[in-house]
Amino acid sequence: MISTAFSRISLGMAAATLVLGLSTPLYAQKYVKGERPQQRGYSLAVITEGGKTVWLGGQVAVADDSGKSLAGDFEGQARQVFKLLNGTLEKAGGKLKDMVQMTVFITDVRNGDRLTEIRREIFGDNFPGSALITITALANPDAKIEIQGYAVIGSK
């Protein structure tokens, strides 16, 4: 009788620990920062331990959620791309702030400063590592920006 009660209590405690442990993600990303990278909206490195790695395919956005064209609107495209990336990460159980690395392709180097401002709005001062690459064009001629990257969800 005591053995059965003890087993049930142990089982209940184990289940509670499992449920609480899995439902409360740990976000202990460590950011290696530098003066110039912080000014430009990226970190030198992001250190994580454990967690689930999600590789994000390149995203472009030439229309907003209502279908309105974003052709020629760099800021609109950038914001929509971040929104799409966040949606993908939510499907994987995460969010945009779980991104630890991104590669950004832009078609006009003059948009780099605006991108930095947008990233600062989105990420605060904990930026993912990043590469910004200026290219001649993207696969869709109306696209001004494409972002790919990866995230670590639930790292210790």
Side-chain angles (χ1 to χ4, degrees):
M1 187 76 147
I2 293 175
S3 164
T4 304
F6 182 71
S7 294
R8 287 185 182 164
I9 290 170
S10 296
L11 250 164
M13 289 174 62
T17 301
L18 182 63
V19 168
L20 291 175
L22 292 179
S23 67
T24 309
L26 303 172
Y27 298 100
Q29 296 171 338
K30 295 179 185 174
Y31 296 86
V32 179
K33 300 178 180 185
E35 185 177 336
R36 175 76 176 145
Q38 283 299 113
Q39 291 171 355
R40 296 302 303 157
Y42 70 95
S43 292
L44 292 171
V46 181
I47 303 164
T48 64
E49 184 180 329
K52 173 174 57 174
T53 302
V54 179
W55 297 89
L56 297 158
Q59 291 281 328
V60 298
V62 294
D64 65 14
D65 290 339
S66 68
K68 178 184 168 205
S69 174
L70 295 172
D73 179 3
F74 176 82
E75 181 173 341
Q77 287 187 22
R79 291 185 182 283
Q80 185 67 17
V81 167
F82 281 119
K83 186 175 181 180
L84 293 171
L85 290 168
N86 190 60
T88 300
L89 286 168
E90 284 178 349
K91 290 177 185 173
K95 58 188 174 207
L96 199 55
K97 294 201 183 256
D98 293 320
M99 284 193 77
V100 295
Q101 178 66 36
M102 67 174 62
T103 304
V104 182
F105 302 93
I106 58 175
T107 59
D108 187 339
V109 71
R110 295 172 292 186
N111 289 322
D113 288 340
R114 186 62 193 128
L115 175 64
T116 298
E117 293 169 8
I118 293 167
R119 285 200 293 204
R120 191 170 312 286
E121 289 173 28
I122 292 169
F123 293 103
D125 68 347
N126 290 325
F127 304 106
S130 184
L132 178 60
I133 303 167
T134 304
I135 58 175
T136 306
L138 291 160
N140 182 325
D142 291 331
K144 304 266 179 223
I145 182 171
E146 180 172 341
I147 302 175
Q148 67 180 23
Y150 62 90
V152 178
I153 299 170
S155 62
K156 297 183 198 178

